[in-house]
Amino acid sequence: MTERIITYAEAIREAIGQAMEADESVFMLGEDIGVYGGAFGVSGDLYHRFGEERVRDTPISELGIVGAAVGAALVGMKPIVEIQFSDFTAQAMDQIVNQAAKIHFMLGGELSVPMVLRAPSGSGTGAAAQHSQSLESWFAHVPGLKVVLPSSPADAKGLLLSALDDPNPVIVLEHKLLYKTSGHVPEEMYRTPIGVSNVVRNGTDLTIVATGVMVSRSVEAAEQLASAGIEACVIDVRTLSPLDMDPINASIAETGRLMLVQEAPKHVGFMAEVAARVSEGPAIYSLTEPVLRLCGMDVPIPYAPQLEKSVVPQLDDIVEGAKNLVRGV
Amino acid sequence: MTERIITYAEAIREAIGQAMEADESVFMLGEDIGVYGGAFGVSGDLYHRFGEERVRDTPISELGIVGAAVGAALVGMKPIVEIQFSDFTAQAMDQIVNQAAKIHFMLGGELSVPMVLRAPSGSGTGAAAQHSQSLESWFAHVPGLKVVLPSSPADAKGLLLSALDDPNPVIVLEHKLLYKTSGHVPEEMYRTPIGVSNVVRNGTDLTIVATGVMVSRSVEAAEQLASAGIEACVIDVRTLSPLDMDPINASIAETGRLMLVQEAPKHVGFMAEVAARVSEGPAIYSLTEPVLRLCGMDVPIPYAPQLEKSVVPQLDDIVEGAKNLVRGV
Amino acid sequence: MATITPLFAPEQGTISANKEAASASLESLLAIRFFEEAVDGLFARGLMHGTMHLSIGQEAVATGVCAALRKTDYITSTHRGHSHCIAKGADLTRMMAELLAKQTGYCRGRGGSMHIADVETGNLGANGIVAGGIPIAAGAALAQKMQGRDNVVVSFFGDGATNEGAFHEALNLAAVWDLPVVFVCENNKYGMSFSTTKSMKVEKISERAAAYGLPGVTVDGNDVDAVFEVAKEAVERARVGGGPTLIECLTYRHKGHSKSDKNLYRTKEEIEFWKTKDPVGIFETRVIESGQLTAEEVEQLTQKVRDAVRLAIQEATQAPDSDPAELLSSVFRQVS
Amino acid sequence: MATITPLFAPEQGTISANKEAASASLESLLAIRFFEEAVDGLFARGLMHGTMHLSIGQEAVATGVCAALRKTDYITSTHRGHSHCIAKGADLTRMMAELLAKQTGYCRGRGGSMHIADVETGNLGANGIVAGGIPIAAGAALAQKMQGRDNVVVSFFGDGATNEGAFHEALNLAAVWDLPVVFVCENNKYGMSFSTTKSMKVEKISERAAAYGLPGVTVDGNDVDAVFEVAKEAVERARVGGGPTLIECLTYRHKGHSKSDKNLYRTKEEIEFWKTKDPVGIFETRVIESGQLTAEEVEQLTQKVRDAVRLAIQEATQAPDSDPAELLSSVFRQVS
Ligand SMILES: Cc1ncc(C[n+]2csc(CCOP(=O)(O)OP(=O)(O)O)c2C)c(N)n1
Ligand SMILES: Cc1ncc(C[n+]2csc(CCOP(=O)(O)OP(=O)(O)O)c2C)c(N)n1
Ligand SMILES: [Mg+2]
Ligand SMILES: [Mg+2]
C-alpha cells in the first residue's frame, strides 16, 4: 500500500467530512469554524462543502454552545463542538461535567449524549498561561466522559471516527504542535478503538508511557537511546478514559523500568494514575527501579520561548531521564 | 485546658467572625449567606453581626461572584467566597483557574489574589450527582491554587485562618457530613499550617492516608482494627496542594503497607498522586505489599441512599481493606 | 401506572371556556398539588430522603404552558420540576417511585426529584443546576430545526436563573439562530432567599428579552388562562419559524425553598397574601362560575386525582428498591 | 523608560478645544499607533513571538476614556490591550520588553502581550480570556466602595465579549450593588471573524444595558472628543455613587484579528471605508483646524512619539532575557 501522507489537521478534517457525508445528524459548531476555517485551520473548507447550518459559527459563548450540543445530542443529533482553545472549556465545565457526563446515568439510562468535544491543547506556541494548558486530567477524573488524546494523524482520524460512533460524550484533546505534522492516513473510514493503548515502539530496557505530543518526542528520544544501546518500549495510552493498562503492565514485566511522560503539570496529573495502577498491582513487583515521572512543572505556562520550553519535558530531558533510569542513578 | 466543644460549622463561622473583627478587609460573598445563614448554616448570624456589606448576598452568578472576589482581592480586600455546593465551581472555573490561579505568576508578580473560596463538598445527603461531587483533584492539579480539606472542627478553623493569612488563592473544600460533627476547638485565633500533613493516629502495621470525611472514618476503622490486633497509622494530608509526603514516607518505612482512602472517584484522583509519589521515591522499597487505593467508584453519585453508600468507601470497606492488606490477600 | 388526562388545548378561546380543556387543566393543577402535598407528607414522616423543591402555588405555570404544547414538543425543567413533569403528562407512579428511590422510578433511583426525565412525554429532564437546562433547550430546538421537524421546546426556569451566564448565552444563541424555543421564567419573587428586588434592577424580567432582540411578555402566572394565552402565541410563533419568546410568569411558592428553609427572608403576611391568589382555587372558582364544570364534577375530579396520587404512592412503595449491582455498567450507554 | 505625557482631562469642554489636553491626547493616539506599527514590524521580521492583537484604528477609545480617568482609577483590559495600557500611562519600554520576552518586561516575560498589567497606573491587566476582565472590574469597584475610596474602574471589552455569560453576570452584579464601574465596549464589528450582525440580534450593544437597569449609550468610537464626553459623564456619575454605565464605542480594527488572520470574513471595501475614518487623522485635522495646535506642533509631537517608541525598542532589546531560574518560586506570592 502506498503511503498517503497528510497532516494531523487534515486527518481530522477528513474524518469530520466523511462522517458528515455518511450521517446527516453529524454537524459542527464552534467559534470561527466557518469562513475563517477555525483558529487552527482544522475545519478549513468544511464550511464551503457543507454550508453554514452544519458548520455552524457561534457567538463567543462556550457554555452556551456546549449546552446547545448537549441538547441537540439528546434528541438525535451528533454534534462536534470545537472549543477554540482547551483552556476555554473552563467556561463550559458545567455543561461538560454536570450535564453531558452525568445525564445518561443520572436520568436513568434512557437518554444519552452522543457528543464530541474537540479542543486544541498544550503549549509551545507562545500563547502564555491562558492559552496553553493541558487539562486532560480534569476530564479523565469525571465519570461519564471518555477522554482521547490522539498523537498522530492516523490516530486523529481513527479516534475521532470512533468518538463519533460512541453514544457517549467524548472529549478529544488535539495538540496544537501536532496539527502541522504529517503521517500516513488511510482514506477509508477506519476506526481506532477507544480504550486500547498503543505500543508505538518495542524495547526491553525501559517502558516509556506518553501522551499527546510527548509520544513522538519519546519515540525520537528512544531512537537516540537506541544508538546509546538502550532499547525503550514506547506506549501511547491514547485514551485516558477508559485506560488500558495491559500493554503497560506487560512491558514493565519485561523492562522493570517505567518512565511516564506528560506535558501537563505533574501534581495530580494523569500519569499519577498510571503510576498508581502499577503500584496497586502485581506490576509493582516487576519494577527494579522507582518510577520516573517526567511531567510539566507545576507552574502556569510562561510566554517567553525559553521559559515555555523549560517547563515541559523536551527531547533532551526524556533522553537524559531514560539514561538515568536505566543506569540506576 | 478544658475542652471547648463546638461543631465544624461553628468553627468555620468563628474563624470568619474573628478574621472579620481583626481585619476590615475581610468580607464574605455568596448565595444565601445573609439572612438565610447559608445553605448549610455556616454563615449563621454573621450577617446580623457584620451587616449586609460584609456578609454579602449575591445573585445566582457563580462566575460573576468569583470574578468579583478576584477583582476585590487584587486591590486590597480579602474576600471569602462561598460557593453553595462545590459542584457549582464548574460555573466559575474560568475565574478560579484561568484568572485567580495564574494572575500572580502571569502578570509578573506584582499583583496577587489573596482570596479564599469555600465550598461544601462530597456525598451522603441524598442530593444526587450534581450536588455531591468531590472535585478537589481538579484544583490540586492547577498550579497557583492551594487546596485544603479540613477533616475536623479544629482544622476547619485553623486552616481557614491560615488560608486568610495567605496572599494567594486558597480553595477550602468542607465536607457536608462534617458540618454537624463536634470537637475541641480553642477560642483564640490559632493557625493550622497549610502544607503539613497530620498524623492522626500512630500504628505500625499499615499506613492509611485519608482526606475529608474519610479521615474520621479511617480512625474509626483503625479502632476496630486495633481490637483485631492490627495497628494502623492514619494520616490526614489536610492540604492537597502543597502536599507534605514526609510523614507518609516515614510511616511506610515502618509499616510497609499503604492504603489510600478518598471519597472522590478513583480514576486520576488525588490519591493517585500519593501512590505515584511513593512509587517514585525510596519509599517504594519499603512496601511489602502493593498499594491499596480505596476510592469512590467511577460513577456519578446516585440518589438512592443504598446506592449512594455503595459508591463511596464505608467503614466496613476500610476495615476489610486494611485486613486484606495486612494479611496479604 | 397512575396518570391523569392529557392536557387539552382549545383551538380557540381560553381554557376555562372549554369544558374538556378546563377539566384536563384542573386535573393537572390538582395532580401537581396533591402529588406535592403527598411528597411533603412522606418527607415529614421520614419516608423520603434527600431534598425536595415544591411548586405548590405555582401550578398554573406548568399547566398553562403545557396546555399549549403537543406531546412531541419538548421541555427542559428545573430543580422545582414536579409541576412541569406532571403537566407534560408523566406517570405519577414512576415519579413517586423515583422519589422513593425505587428501581421502577424514572431514573431507577439514581436521580431523585431533581433529575426526573420522561422521554415518552418529551421531558428532557429536571436539572439540579440553576439555569442548566436553558442552553440544553436551545440545543434541542436547534435539532428540531436542523431535522426539519416542527416541534417546539419550552425551557422552564426561575427568576434567579436569569442572573446566570447560561441564561444569557442560551437566549442569545436561540435568538441569532431563530430557534423554536420558548423561555418560560417562573418568577416566584425569590431565588432561594434572595429577592428579585435585590438580585436584579429591572422591574420585569421580561425586559431582559430585548437584550437579545426577542419579544418578552409578563403574565399573571397564577392564572391558567392568561398563561395559556401567551404561551400559545409564543409556541405558535416558534413553530412556524418566528423564533423564541421570553415569558415571565408572576407567581409564588407557598412552601419554603427546600426542606431546610426557615422562611426568614419573607413575611407571613406576604405568604398569606399570595395564598389568597391560589392558582388552583382561582381556576376552580372560574370554571364553576362560568358553568363549564359543576361543583359536583369538580368534586369528582378531585377525587379522581386523589385516587391517582394514592395509587402512585401505593404502587411506588411496593416496587423494588433501586439496584446497586448495575451501577458501574450504567455510566456509559453501552456501544451496541 | 519611554513614556508619553499623561492624558490631561479638561474640566470643561472637549479635549480638542483645550491645547494641553489636545496635545496629550494626540500623543496617546500616536503612541498607540506607532507602538503597534513597530510591533507589527518586529513580528513580520520574526523578532517577536507568540501572537498579537493590534488595535490600530481603535486608538480613540482608550484615549478618550482614559482622559476621563485619574491616575488612581483602575482599568481592566483585554487581549487587544496595548491601547488601554498606553493610554493609562504605561512605560513603553517595559511594554516592549514584555513583548520581547525580557526580564524587564511588565510580566518579566511570563505573560506577553495578552497579560500586561501595570500596578503603577492602575492597569489590573490585559486578559487572554474574552470577557474575563469584566467581573474582575466589578470586584475592584466593589473594593473601592467598601474601602470608601472614590476611584472608578473602567472595564474595556469587545463586542464579542458581550455574548459571554461573564458579561451578563458582571453587569448585573455591578448594577445591583451600584458599583463605581464603567463598562466600555469597543464594538469593532467583529469577534474574531464573526460579525455582530450574526452574533447578536440587537441594533446597538448599548441596548443590553437595559437588561440590568443601567444607562447605555452608543458613541462614535473613532472620535476622541465624543468618547471623552460620554466617558466623562459616566465616570463622574460612577464616582459620586450613581452606579455603572455601559458605553458602546463604534470603531474598527484596520489589521487582522491576530497574526493568523486572512481577512476572509470582511471586504477590502469595508476596510478601506473605515481607514477613511481613521481616528488619529481625524483628531489631527481637528486640532489643527481649530487652531489648538499648529501643523508644526503636530509634527514635533509626532517626532517625539516616534523617538519614544524607538527608544522603547532600543532599551527593550538590550534588556536581559527573562529568567527561567525563578519560575517555580514565582507561582505563589511568598508568605512574608
Ligand atoms: C448553578 C447553581 N447555583 C446555585 C444553586 C443552588 N440553588 C438551587 S435552587 C436555587 C434558587 C433558584 O432560584 P430560582 O431560579 O428563582 O428558582 P426557584 O427555586 O425560585 O424555583 C439555588 C440558589 C444551584 N442548584 N445551581
Ligand atoms: C473565553 C474565550 N473564548 C474565545 C477566545 C478566543 N478569542 C480571542 S479574541 C476573540 C474575539 C473577541 O472578540 P471581541 O470581544 O469583539 O474583541 P476584539 O477581538 O474584536 O477586540 C476570540 C474568539 C478567548 N480568548 N476566550
Ligand atoms: Mg425563584
Ligand atoms: Mg470585536
Side-chain angles (χ1 to χ4, degrees):
Chain A
M1 205 179 96
T2 58
E3 294 259 293
R4 194 172 153 274
I5 305 294
I6 62 175
T7 68
Y8 187 88
E10 285 162 353
I12 297 165
R13 188 181 320 134
E14 180 168 280
I16 298 173
Q18 289 175 341
M20 286 181 49
E21 264 167 18
D23 182 351
E24 281 253 301
S25 65
V26 177
F27 73 106
M28 274 190 90
L29 70 172
E31 294 157 15
D32 308 293
I33 61 169
V35 65
Y36 195 96
F40 290 90
V42 172
S43 48
D45 63 349
L46 291 174
Y47 172 83
H48 298 289
R49 285 178 55 202
F50 295 98
E52 64 179 13
E53 290 283 315
R54 293 183 73 194
V55 180
R56 187 171 284 265
D57 264 325
T58 66
I60 311 175
S61 315
E62 291 79 10
L63 180 62
I65 64 180
V66 176
V70 172
L74 282 175
V75 295
M77 299 296 287
K78 220 174 235 307
I80 306 174
V81 189
E82 175 173 304
I83 296 293
Q84 203 162 74
F85 284 75
S86 70
D87 312 71
F88 316 149
T89 58
Q91 263 75 356
M93 283 299 268
D94 177 61
Q95 287 291 337
I96 300 171
V97 170
N98 290 333
Q99 313 294 344
K102 296 182 173 43
I103 281 177
H104 177 67
F105 178 92
M106 174 174 78
L107 269 51
E110 280 179 59
L111 290 162
S112 73
V113 184
M115 160 186 123
V116 174
L117 187 151
R118 300 175 35 248
S121 168
S123 68
T125 69
Q130 292 175 334
H131 286 73
S132 305
Q133 289 168 92
S134 299
L135 300 173
E136 60 270 17
S137 310
W138 286 357
F139 302 112
H141 185 52
V142 178
L145 297 178
K146 300 190 179 180
V147 184
V148 168
L149 266 72
S151 69
S152 69
D155 279 1
K157 177 172 176 181
L159 286 166
L160 184 52
L161 288 172
S162 288
L164 282 165
D165 285 346
D166 205 295
N168 300 289
V170 181
I171 310 292
V172 183
L173 295 171
E174 300 159 358
H175 201 289
K176 294 174 197 108
L177 295 183
L178 294 177
Y179 281 129
K180 291 185 181 161
T181 62
S182 314
H184 170 63
V185 175
E187 191 160 4
E188 72 270 15
M189 281 181 80
Y190 64 94
R191 270 77 179 170
T192 306
I194 291 177
V196 179
S197 294
N198 186 27
V199 180
V200 185
R201 185 185 195 282
N202 285 307
T204 52
D205 294 326
L206 86 157
T207 307
I208 302 179
V209 178
T211 51
V213 74
M214 293 299 154
V215 175
S216 48
R217 217 169 271 177
S218 297
V219 170
E220 213 180 321
E223 275 148 28
Q224 290 195 15
L225 289 164
S227 49
I230 297 172
E231 290 299 333
C233 169
V234 180
I235 299 174
D236 175 7
V237 296
R238 289 199 297 210
T239 70
L240 278 52
S241 273
L243 168 59
D244 170 22
M245 285 294 294
D246 293 348
I248 299 172
N249 289 332
S251 173
I252 302 173
E254 263 192 295
T255 65
R257 302 184 184 93
L258 178 60
M259 184 161 96
L260 304 170
V261 191
Q262 81 186 5
E263 174 172 344
K266 185 183 215 170
H267 194 57
V268 198
F270 170 74
M271 285 302 172
E273 177 66 26
V274 177
R277 297 266 190 122
V278 168
S279 79
E280 281 182 312
I284 193 173
Y285 296 119
S286 321
L287 291 177
T288 60
E289 302 289 330
V291 173
L292 177 62
R293 272 191 298 168
L294 213 59
C295 302
M297 270 166 59
D298 290 310
V299 304
I301 301 290
Y303 163 70
Q306 72 280 16
L307 268 56
E308 190 181 21
K309 282 220 171 98
S310 78
V311 303
V312 299
Q314 301 298 322
L315 179 60
D316 289 351
D317 302 320
I318 304 175
V319 172
E320 201 190 332
K323 284 184 179 166
N324 290 343
L325 189 60
V326 171
R327 293 180 190 142
V329 298
Chain B
M1 208 181 95
T2 59
E3 295 259 293
R4 193 172 152 274
I5 304 293
I6 62 176
T7 66
Y8 186 89
E10 285 162 354
I12 297 166
R13 190 182 319 135
E14 183 168 280
I16 297 173
Q18 290 175 341
M20 285 181 51
E21 265 166 17
D23 181 351
E24 282 252 301
S25 66
V26 176
F27 74 106
M28 274 189 89
L29 70 171
E31 294 156 16
D32 309 292
I33 61 169
V35 65
Y36 195 97
F40 290 89
V42 172
S43 50
D45 63 349
L46 291 174
Y47 172 83
H48 297 289
R49 285 176 57 202
F50 295 97
E52 64 180 11
E53 290 282 314
R54 292 183 72 193
V55 181
R56 186 170 286 265
D57 264 324
T58 67
I60 312 175
S61 315
E62 290 79 12
L63 180 61
I65 65 182
V66 176
V70 172
L74 282 176
V75 296
M77 299 296 287
K78 219 174 235 308
I80 306 175
V81 189
E82 176 172 304
I83 295 293
Q84 203 160 74
F85 284 76
S86 70
D87 312 71
F88 315 150
T89 58
Q91 263 75 357
M93 283 301 268
D94 177 61
Q95 286 291 335
I96 301 171
V97 170
N98 290 331
Q99 313 293 344
K102 297 182 173 42
I103 280 177
H104 176 67
F105 178 93
M106 174 174 76
L107 269 52
E110 281 179 57
L111 291 162
S112 75
V113 185
M115 161 186 121
V116 174
L117 186 153
R118 299 175 37 250
S121 168
S123 67
T125 69
Q130 292 175 333
H131 287 72
S132 304
Q133 290 167 94
S134 299
L135 300 173
E136 59 270 18
S137 310
W138 286 356
F139 302 113
H141 184 53
V142 178
L145 298 178
K146 300 191 179 181
V147 183
V148 168
L149 265 72
S151 70
S152 71
D155 279 0
K157 177 171 175 181
L159 286 167
L160 184 52
L161 288 173
S162 288
L164 282 164
D165 286 345
D166 205 294
N168 300 289
V170 181
I171 310 291
V172 183
L173 295 171
E174 302 159 359
H175 202 286
K176 294 175 196 108
L177 294 182
L178 294 176
Y179 281 129
K180 292 184 178 162
T181 62
S182 313
H184 169 62
V185 175
E187 190 161 2
E188 73 270 15
M189 281 181 81
Y190 63 93
R191 268 78 179 170
T192 306
I194 291 177
V196 179
S197 294
N198 186 26
V199 180
V200 186
R201 186 187 195 281
N202 286 308
T204 51
D205 293 326
L206 84 157
T207 307
I208 302 180
V209 178
T211 52
V213 76
M214 293 299 155
V215 174
S216 49
R217 217 168 272 176
S218 296
V219 170
E220 214 181 322
E223 275 149 27
Q224 289 195 17
L225 289 165
S227 49
I230 298 173
E231 291 299 332
C233 170
V234 179
I235 299 174
D236 175 7
V237 296
R238 288 200 297 212
T239 69
L240 277 53
S241 273
L243 168 60
D244 170 22
M245 285 294 295
D246 292 349
I248 299 172
N249 289 331
S251 174
I252 302 174
E254 262 193 296
T255 65
R257 300 184 186 94
L258 178 61
M259 184 160 96
L260 305 169
V261 190
Q262 82 186 5
E263 175 173 343
K266 186 184 216 171
H267 193 57
V268 198
F270 170 74
M271 285 302 173
E273 178 67 25
V274 177
R277 296 265 191 125
V278 168
S279 78
E280 282 181 311
I284 193 174
Y285 297 118
S286 321
L287 290 178
T288 60
E289 302 289 331
V291 173
L292 176 63
R293 272 190 298 170
L294 213 58
C295 302
M297 270 165 60
D298 290 310
V299 304
I301 301 290
Y303 162 71
Q306 71 281 14
L307 268 55
E308 190 180 20
K309 283 219 170 98
S310 77
V311 303
V312 299
Q314 301 298 321
L315 179 59
D316 290 351
D317 302 320
I318 303 175
V319 172
E320 201 191 330
K323 284 185 179 164
N324 290 343
L325 189 58
V326 171
R327 292 184 190 138
V329 297
Chain C
M1 286 262 297
T3 49
I4 56 163
T5 311
L7 280 165
F8 170 87
E11 272 305 317
Q12 306 252 279
T14 63
I15 289 183
S16 64
N18 176 303
K19 187 181 173 76
E20 222 180 314
S23 164
S25 288
L26 185 53
E27 262 190 64
S28 165
L29 292 170
L30 291 168
I32 299 167
R33 176 67 54 97
F34 296 159
F35 182 88
E36 292 206 322
E37 284 177 349
V39 165
D40 208 24
L42 290 166
F43 212 96
R45 287 158 57 207
L47 298 174
M48 210 165 257
H49 105 135
T51 190
M52 224 50 77
H53 306 87
L54 304 179
S55 42
I56 291 175
Q58 306 185 191
E59 297 89 343
V61 177
T63 300
V65 169
C66 291
L69 296 180
R70 300 180 184 161
K71 191 173 177 191
T72 52
D73 289 334
Y74 292 101
I75 63 168
T76 66
S77 167
T78 68
H79 59 287
R80 199 177 303 288
H82 304 153
S83 63
H84 317 133
C85 195
I86 293 173
K88 195 71 175 63
D91 172 9
L92 302 181
T93 299
R94 288 191 68 191
M95 285 181 71
M96 194 60 85
E98 185 56 35
L99 302 189
L100 289 168
K102 300 294 190 168
Q103 185 68 14
T104 57
Y106 270 113
C107 315
R108 308 185 189 201
R110 295 177 202 147
S113 169
M114 280 193 287
H115 302 296
I116 297 179
D118 181 15
V119 174
E120 193 69 11
T121 60
N123 180 351
L124 296 176
N127 208 312
I129 299 294
V130 169
I134 315 180
I136 295 176
L142 173 62
Q144 303 315 303
K145 195 174 171 177
M146 293 184 76
Q147 292 165 343
R149 304 206 177 137
D150 72 348
N151 297 322
V152 170
V153 184
V154 164
S155 183
F156 291 102
F157 49 85
D159 47 284
T162 72
N163 297 321
E164 284 279 5
F167 164 84
H168 176 72
E169 297 189 11
L171 265 75
N172 192 54
L173 288 180
V176 298
W177 292 339
D178 275 323
L179 299 181
V181 55
V182 178
F183 299 105
V184 177
C185 177
E186 281 180 83
N187 180 354
N188 61 5
K189 293 174 61 98
Y190 297 91
M192 200 153 158
S193 70
F194 207 48
S195 163
T196 51
T197 60
K198 293 181 178 172
S199 75
M200 60 187 75
K201 274 208 152 178
V202 280
E203 277 297 310
K204 293 179 177 179
I205 290 176
S206 58
E207 292 170 43
R208 295 193 152 173
Y212 315 102
L214 295 181
V217 50
T218 299
V219 66
D220 178 351
N222 282 14
D223 181 338
V224 176
D225 285 319
V227 171
F228 170 72
E229 198 180 326
V230 300
K232 192 179 174 203
E233 189 186 323
V235 167
E236 281 176 4
R237 179 166 49 235
R239 205 181 298 287
V240 298
T245 304
L246 172 60
I247 298 175
E248 175 189 22
C249 300
L250 299 173
T251 185
Y252 199 79
R253 60 170 156 74
H254 295 176
K255 299 278 174 177
H257 166 72
S258 70
K259 287 290 142 195
S260 52
D261 188 343
K262 299 189 209 85
N263 266 321
L264 297 172
Y265 52 88
R266 52 184 197 174
T267 61
K268 277 219 175 79
E269 292 70 40
E270 184 181 282
I271 301 174
E272 288 313 315
F273 166 75
W274 277 91
K275 283 191 177 163
T276 67
K277 299 188 44 159
D278 176 31
V280 182
I282 288 172
F283 193 74
E284 268 180 11
T285 311
R286 184 178 302 163
V287 292
I288 293 174
E289 282 181 357
S290 74
Q292 291 296 337
L293 296 177
T294 65
E296 218 166 45
E297 284 171 321
V298 168
E299 185 47 42
Q300 280 165 4
L301 234 139
T302 305
Q303 203 45 55
K304 176 185 163 193
V305 176
R306 276 202 197 289
D307 289 345
V309 171
R310 206 169 292 129
L311 178 66
I313 299 176
Q314 213 173 61
E315 291 181 332
T317 309
Q318 288 161 3
D321 284 344
S322 57
D323 184 1
E326 51 181 41
L327 286 182
L328 258 184
S329 60
S330 309
V331 177
F332 293 107
R333 168 156 290 175
Q334 300 308 314
V335 187
S336 48
Chain D
M1 285 260 299
T3 49
I4 55 163
T5 311
L7 279 165
F8 171 86
E11 271 307 315
Q12 308 250 281
T14 62
I15 288 183
S16 63
N18 177 303
K19 187 180 173 75
E20 221 178 316
S23 163
S25 286
L26 185 54
E27 262 189 64
S28 166
L29 292 171
L30 291 169
I32 299 166
R33 175 68 53 98
F34 296 159
F35 182 88
E36 293 206 322
E37 284 177 348
V39 164
D40 208 24
L42 289 166
F43 212 97
R45 287 158 54 207
L47 298 173
M48 208 166 259
H49 104 136
T51 190
M52 224 52 76
H53 306 86
L54 304 179
S55 41
I56 291 176
Q58 306 185 192
E59 296 90 344
V61 178
T63 300
V65 169
C66 290
L69 296 180
R70 299 180 183 162
K71 189 173 177 189
T72 53
D73 289 335
Y74 292 100
I75 63 167
T76 66
S77 166
T78 66
H79 59 288
R80 198 177 303 289
H82 303 153
S83 63
H84 317 132
C85 195
I86 293 173
K88 196 70 174 63
D91 173 8
L92 302 182
T93 298
R94 288 192 67 193
M95 285 181 70
M96 195 59 85
E98 185 56 33
L99 301 191
L100 289 168
K102 300 294 189 167
Q103 184 69 11
T104 58
Y106 270 112
C107 314
R108 306 184 190 204
R110 294 178 202 145
S113 169
M114 278 192 289
H115 302 296
I116 297 179
D118 181 15
V119 175
E120 194 69 12
T121 59
N123 180 352
L124 296 175
N127 209 311
I129 299 294
V130 168
I134 315 180
I136 295 176
L142 174 62
Q144 303 314 304
K145 194 173 172 179
M146 294 184 75
Q147 293 164 342
R149 304 203 178 140
D150 71 347
N151 297 323
V152 170
V153 184
V154 163
S155 184
F156 290 101
F157 49 86
D159 46 285
T162 71
N163 297 321
E164 283 278 4
F167 164 85
H168 176 72
E169 297 188 13
L171 265 74
N172 192 53
L173 287 180
V176 299
W177 291 340
D178 274 324
L179 299 181
V181 56
V182 178
F183 298 105
V184 177
C185 177
E186 281 180 82
N187 180 354
N188 61 6
K189 295 174 60 101
Y190 296 91
M192 202 154 156
S193 71
F194 206 47
S195 163
T196 51
T197 59
K198 292 182 179 174
S199 75
M200 58 187 74
K201 273 207 153 179
V202 280
E203 275 297 309
K204 294 177 176 181
I205 289 176
S206 59
E207 291 171 43
R208 295 193 152 173
Y212 316 101
L214 295 181
V217 50
T218 298
V219 65
D220 178 350
N222 282 14
D223 180 338
V224 175
D225 286 318
V227 171
F228 171 71
E229 198 179 328
V230 299
K232 191 178 176 204
E233 191 186 322
V235 167
E236 281 177 3
R237 179 165 53 234
R239 203 181 300 287
V240 298
T245 305
L246 172 61
I247 298 174
E248 175 190 21
C249 300
L250 299 174
T251 185
Y252 199 79
R253 60 170 156 72
H254 295 179
K255 301 276 173 177
H257 166 72
S258 70
K259 287 291 143 195
S260 53
D261 189 341
K262 298 189 210 87
N263 268 319
L264 298 173
Y265 52 88
R266 53 183 196 174
T267 60
K268 277 222 173 81
E269 291 69 39
E270 185 181 282
I271 301 175
E272 288 314 313
F273 167 76
W274 277 91
K275 283 191 177 164
T276 67
K277 299 188 44 160
D278 176 31
V280 182
I282 289 172
F283 193 73
E284 269 181 9
T285 310
R286 186 179 302 163
V287 292
I288 294 175
E289 280 180 357
S290 73
Q292 291 294 337
L293 297 177
T294 63
E296 218 166 45
E297 285 170 321
V298 168
E299 185 45 44
Q300 280 164 6
L301 235 139
T302 305
Q303 202 45 54
K304 177 185 162 192
V305 176
R306 278 203 194 287
D307 289 345
V309 171
R310 206 168 292 130
L311 179 67
I313 298 176
Q314 211 172 65
E315 290 182 333
T317 309
Q318 287 160 5
D321 283 345
S322 57
D323 184 1
E326 51 181 41
L327 285 181
L328 257 184
S329 61
S330 309
V331 178
F332 293 108
R333 168 157 289 176
Q334 299 307 314
V335 187
S336 50

